[in-house]
Amino acid sequence: MVTVHDVAELSGVSIATVSRTLRAPHRVSDATRTRVLKAVEQLGYRPNRAASSLRRGRTGAIALVVPDIENPYFASLTKGAQASSRARGYGLVVVDTTESAEIEAEEIRALGSQVDGMIIASSRLSDDALAEVAASTTCVLINRSLPDAATPTVTIDEASGARAAIGHLAGLGHRRIAYVGGPESSWSEGRRWSGLLTAASEHDGVSAVHVGSVTPDARGGHAAAAAALEHDATAVIAYNDLVALGMLARWAELGVRVPDDVSLVGFDNTFVAELSSPPLTSVGADLREFGETAVSLLLDRIDGSTPPPSPVPTTMDITVRGSTAAPAR
Amino acid sequence: MVTVHDVAELSGVSIATVSRTLRAPHRVSDATRTRVLKAVEQLGYRPNRAASSLRRGRTGAIALVVPDIENPYFASLTKGAQASSRARGYGLVVVDTTESAEIEAEEIRALGSQVDGMIIASSRLSDDALAEVAASTTCVLINRSLPDAATPTVTIDEASGARAAIGHLAGLGHRRIAYVGGPESSWSEGRRWSGLLTAASEHDGVSAVHVGSVTPDARGGHAAAAAALEHDATAVIAYNDLVALGMLARWAELGVRVPDDVSLVGFDNTFVAELSSPPLTSVGADLREFGETAVSLLLDRIDGSTPPPSPVPTTMDITVRGSTAAPAR
DNA sequence: CTGTTAGCGCATTCAC
DNA sequence: GTGAATGCGCTAACAG
């Protein structure tokens, strides 16, 4: 292993100057800087992160905690966070908690001394447990608010998505719209449903009906497909794209045609929405950008340069694809 | 921050004993061990990773480098690697190189001092560049072999997948089978196509025809959908599930019915194969297990307990869903 | 502008 | 079985 001492010796300066050249280049003379950098290059010197972290009390890394990296929603979020943290010179540790509150708690504890801060997405922790985490670490929450309201949080404006979905369907002529919800414990679920109710009330004659809560995957949609049709609705909105695709597949088996017999709208607009036939109309936010926002907020907090302004919720837009059309009658 | 000194003071022992209690419990007496552990618990002491790393010369973390975390293939791989490394007490740093050889090289360099080893999946690096990495770090390659053959590698037995696909289709009565390939530069592409050719030759009267190379995503499949039908084939095998779904969607627009008019088989058997209608028959390996295998191999190398036996390639199995049936004629 | 010095928190000798 | 002492590689005072 090559250390500052080796570089110092080769370039004829002290180890302090080597360190300075790397951390604060403007504090050394041009001549020595070039000399030191040449030696660094020549020896292939890379500062030891562990030593640097120990001395500085900061690791230069942040963590992103997600419930399930296989979920396209979190995959996109991760992608954005990754790009953004690299751009700011930070490493990113991604942790998949497999939807388990226990593992989440454990990982967060273990992470404590390894990173300078963390982003916790869609936490499965209780308010109390999460508040404790927020109190003892520098963190940013995604899609989850805490009563105290002191913890920085980035959220998606679910109401804007609901408005876009309802507006699109109402514009096509739909009057009765069914909503297949996600887990009742989910933070998004509550916001999506209340957003839909509000949006429906803003259109004359349009009503929304909640037809059950399912697990937020294709299996859930599959199971709810039949029930969703039992309410005279001409359009169905699903908790997320996966649920929507599950319904779509089940309806195909049942001979129900989309969008001829019923229109279908998903939430999140993940890449899977483009995969089905017909492709799925879906409302969603730019998740990569969302991930970037969270990283920025966290790093602003860590670097402490500016007091982080509480960011405005990211709005959702609708992407109209083939699964929606005017109702038959 | 609570350190060994705090724990030592509270439990009335020296810092050496505290450290020993944690790292080599059997080397302290029962009495002191319980006393120290109580103090650890009481103070909420967590060893500082940076200090520990500096002293021991190992970080307790490994890295997984993937081209694209949004790709379900790598997401599943990551999931398995994550679970397995956690189980063995190692942290996992996931890096997404966005399919860029440049970023990959840069990240690998930066990672060097931060992890004890790395797993490089589907590297975009040149043989030379990759060989250099392999020479200077402890690493394990996934889906990519190096001429020198000295670098530990875990691979998937693509030939077994090809055999399963051809066998299934031949069994249904298909004789002429088209293959829509992926990027020619892809390591898997070559193995898949040659495996298909070999497998076809093992069945009387069965032939496989290569009908072009596309980008390995739904867009690629969309573009190749029409061309795939121009060869009198009654069944089509796609480079991967995404390509298959792209074709499926395009065919739906074209009025081509699956599996009535043509059968379709994907590669990788990622979760998206379950999402389409009809759901996609696909050959694939257990990717989570694959990720676990890679982690095990790497950690065995690092811990150096046993000389890592070169693992056998993971075999692929076929999952038959609704996209395949006997040919019409 | 540059060098000397003193630890950061921990794991490991080596005595006892 | 335990304690005292050393230094891992680096950065941040402080002097010069």
Side-chain angles (χ1 to χ4, degrees):
Chain A
M1 164 173 266
V2 28
T3 75
V4 276
H5 292 94
D6 303 318
V7 177
E9 190 169 0
L10 180 59
S11 51
V13 297
S14 75
I15 60 166
T17 300
V18 174
S19 183
R20 244 185 245 114
T21 306
L22 267 21
R23 293 277 167 193
H26 62 281
R27 298 186 56 76
V28 301
S29 74
D30 287 6
T32 53
R33 187 181 330 127
T34 49
R35 201 142 37 90
V36 169
L37 289 179
K38 208 184 95 194
V40 165
E41 174 77 13
Q42 192 173 327
L43 296 172
Y45 168 74
R46 319 268 329 161
N48 179 315
R49 294 287 276 233
S52 179
S53 298
L54 179 57
R55 184 60 238 256
R56 310 211 307 160
R58 334 177 58 231
T59 64
I62 59 177
L64 173 63
V65 180
V66 299
D68 177 18
I69 191 69
E70 272 183 314
N71 182 324
Y73 185 94
F74 297 113
S76 295
L77 197 67
T78 301
K79 190 118 183 160
Q82 171 93 39
S84 161
S85 60
R86 185 194 14 257
R88 294 195 42 176
Y90 274 77
L92 182 74
V93 178
V94 181
V95 177
D96 180 339
T97 64
T98 66
E99 308 274 3
S100 152
E102 234 172 294
I103 293 182
E104 183 179 338
E106 187 187 320
E107 286 284 338
I108 287 176
R109 216 176 318 119
L111 242 24
S113 77
Q114 300 188 69
V115 297
D116 298 334
M118 48 191 145
I119 298 170
I120 305 176
S122 303
S123 176
R124 266 51 175 167
L125 259 32
S126 68
D127 273 13
D128 286 350
L130 194 52
E132 204 177 307
V133 169
S136 62
T137 67
T138 305
C139 70
V140 163
L141 266 30
I142 285 185
N143 283 348
R144 169 78 179 263
S145 71
L146 235 30
D148 71 2
T151 314
T153 306
V154 301
T155 55
I156 289 183
D157 182 2
E158 311 280 355
S160 72
R163 228 177 296 122
I166 295 284
H168 170 63
L169 292 172
L172 287 171
H174 293 274
R175 289 296 169 260
R176 190 160 176 75
I177 300 168
Y179 172 64
V180 176
E184 278 155 26
S185 61
S186 152
W187 196 75
S188 303
E189 162 62 9
R191 321 258 292 189
R192 285 176 185 186
W193 173 232
S194 71
L196 290 171
L197 272 183
T198 305
S201 72
E202 288 165 356
H203 292 267
D204 273 353
V206 171
S207 66
V209 49
H210 198 296
V211 299
S213 294
V214 302
T215 57
D217 50 28
R219 207 174 308 270
H222 207 269
L229 261 22
E230 289 169 2
H231 293 78
D232 290 330
T234 56
V236 176
I237 299 177
Y239 172 70
N240 69 16
D241 293 338
L242 259 14
V243 170
L245 293 192
M247 283 199 284
L248 199 58
R250 180 67 183 140
W251 285 341
E253 292 172 9
L254 261 30
V256 176
R257 293 163 310 159
V258 174
D260 306 325
D261 299 328
V262 62
S263 284
L264 180 60
V265 177
F267 258 102
D268 293 341
N269 195 25
T270 50
F271 74 86
V272 297
E274 304 183 74
L275 261 31
S276 59
S277 33
L280 185 68
T281 295
S282 185
V283 293
D286 185 326
L287 290 172
R288 295 197 195 175
E289 193 183 302
F290 191 50
E292 287 167 16
T293 304
V295 168
S296 293
L297 182 57
L298 179 60
L299 293 187
D300 285 349
R301 256 169 69 95
I302 291 173
D303 292 346
S305 45
T306 46
S310 183
V312 286
T314 305
T315 59
M316 299 178 107
D317 292 313
I318 189 162
T319 302
V320 177
R321 299 196 181 86
S323 68
T324 47
R329 254 172 315 110
Chain B
M1 162 172 267
V2 28
T3 76
V4 275
H5 291 92
D6 303 318
V7 177
E9 190 169 1
L10 180 59
S11 50
V13 297
S14 74
I15 60 166
T17 300
V18 174
S19 182
R20 247 184 241 115
T21 305
L22 267 20
R23 293 279 168 192
H26 62 280
R27 298 185 55 77
V28 301
S29 75
D30 287 7
T32 52
R33 184 177 336 123
T34 50
R35 202 143 37 89
V36 170
L37 290 179
K38 210 184 94 192
V40 165
E41 173 78 12
Q42 191 174 327
L43 296 171
Y45 167 73
R46 320 269 326 163
N48 180 313
R49 296 287 275 233
S52 179
S53 297
L54 178 57
R55 185 60 237 259
R56 312 210 308 160
R58 331 171 68 227
T59 64
I62 58 177
L64 172 64
V65 180
V66 298
D68 177 17
I69 192 69
E70 271 182 314
N71 183 325
Y73 185 93
F74 296 113
S76 294
L77 196 67
T78 301
K79 189 118 183 159
Q82 171 93 40
S84 160
S85 60
R86 186 196 10 259
R88 294 196 40 177
Y90 274 77
L92 182 74
V93 179
V94 182
V95 177
D96 179 340
T97 65
T98 66
E99 309 273 5
S100 152
E102 235 173 291
I103 292 183
E104 183 179 338
E106 187 188 319
E107 286 283 339
I108 287 177
R109 216 175 320 118
L111 242 25
S113 77
Q114 302 188 67
V115 297
D116 298 334
M118 48 192 145
I119 298 169
I120 305 176
S122 302
S123 176
R124 264 53 176 167
L125 259 32
S126 68
D127 273 12
D128 285 350
L130 195 52
E132 204 177 307
V133 169
S136 62
T137 66
T138 306
C139 70
V140 163
L141 265 30
I142 285 184
N143 284 347
R144 168 78 180 263
S145 71
L146 234 30
D148 71 2
T151 314
T153 305
V154 300
T155 55
I156 289 184
D157 181 2
E158 310 281 356
S160 72
R163 228 177 296 122
I166 295 284
H168 170 64
L169 292 172
L172 287 171
H174 293 274
R175 289 295 167 262
R176 190 158 176 78
I177 299 168
Y179 172 64
V180 176
E184 279 156 25
S185 62
S186 153
W187 195 76
S188 304
E189 162 63 8
R191 320 259 293 190
R192 286 176 185 186
W193 172 232
S194 71
L196 253 16
L197 272 182
T198 306
S201 73
E202 289 164 357
H203 292 267
D204 274 352
V206 171
S207 66
V209 51
H210 197 297
V211 300
S213 294
V214 302
T215 57
D217 50 28
R219 208 175 308 271
H222 207 269
L229 261 22
E230 289 169 3
H231 294 78
D232 290 329
T234 56
V236 176
I237 299 177
Y239 172 70
N240 70 15
D241 293 337
L242 259 14
V243 170
L245 293 193
M247 284 199 284
L248 198 58
R250 180 66 182 141
W251 285 343
E253 292 172 8
L254 261 30
V256 176
R257 293 164 310 159
V258 174
D260 306 324
D261 298 328
V262 62
S263 284
L264 180 61
V265 177
F267 257 102
D268 293 341
N269 195 25
T270 51
F271 73 87
V272 297
E274 304 183 73
L275 261 31
S276 58
S277 32
L280 186 68
T281 295
S282 186
V283 293
D286 185 326
L287 290 172
R288 294 197 194 177
E289 193 183 301
F290 191 51
E292 288 167 16
T293 304
V295 168
S296 292
L297 181 57
L298 179 60
L299 293 187
D300 286 348
R301 256 169 70 95
I302 291 173
D303 291 347
S305 44
T306 46
S310 184
V312 287
T314 304
T315 59
M316 298 178 107
D317 292 314
I318 189 162
T319 301
V320 177
R321 298 197 182 85
S323 67
T324 47
R329 255 174 314 113

